[in-house]
Amino acid sequence: HPGRFFFEVLSVEKTIDAVMQLVRALNALNPAQKMLLTVSPVPFQRSFSGNDALVANSYSKAALRVAAEVATRSFDHVDYFPSYETVTLSDHVLTWEDDLVHVRSDMIERNVARMLAAYMPGTGA
């Protein structure tokens, strides 16, 4: 299907707009729902942008993090869980597998337990 798909590196403004549109659309479907946003700490190893993967990954995570922050400040029903920060700002020996791409299972379990304890108290997490 030529022309059906394309690649675009979104500006920070377009990323914010996309997240805000998504939050509004989901809220319109169910105004009672609460939303929890996060940014994955897992880096990508290649980029379609032609830029170095480390540079492209840093830009992507930063744009998503800013968009999540704007959404949480704009809507009372949206919150942000810092899984990205928990992994990337912790001791790398404790957080990453040897390949420095995959998060260690015990770190994932700790992060999920923290999230459940914060957002679903009494669930035994």
Side-chain angles (χ1 to χ4, degrees):
H1 301 283
R4 181 175 174 200
F5 301 103
F6 64 94
F7 175 78
E8 177 182 3
V9 176
L10 297 181
S11 67
V12 174
E13 294 80 13
K14 279 189 174 183
T15 304
I16 292 168
D17 288 345
V19 170
M20 298 296 275
Q21 286 178 27
L22 177 63
V23 169
R24 286 186 189 104
L26 291 172
N27 187 252
L29 292 172
N30 183 358
Q33 75 182 345
K34 295 188 181 284
M35 279 182 232
L36 185 60
L37 301 177
T38 194
V39 174
S40 170
V42 177
F44 47 82
Q45 296 175 299
R46 282 184 252 161
S47 171
F48 291 115
S49 71
N51 289 336
D52 177 86
L54 293 173
V55 173
N57 185 69
S58 293
Y59 173 82
S60 174
K61 301 299 185 181
L64 290 168
R65 182 61 189 93
V66 169
E69 186 68 22
V70 170
T72 62
R73 290 180 183 205
S74 300
F75 300 102
D76 290 336
H77 68 282
V78 178
D79 203 3
Y80 177 77
F81 181 74
S83 59
Y84 175 78
E85 292 81 356
T86 300
V87 172
T88 61
L89 299 176
S90 294
D91 182 344
H92 287 200
V93 172
L94 301 175
T95 57
W96 298 100
E97 295 289 347
D98 290 340
D99 64 5
L100 299 178
V101 173
H102 297 92
V103 179
R104 291 173 45 118
S105 295
D106 55 329
M107 179 56 133
I108 294 169
E109 290 171 14
R110 281 195 302 272
N111 237 357
V112 171
R114 249 179 14 109
M115 180 188 63
L116 291 174
Y119 293 99
M120 298 178 69
T123 61

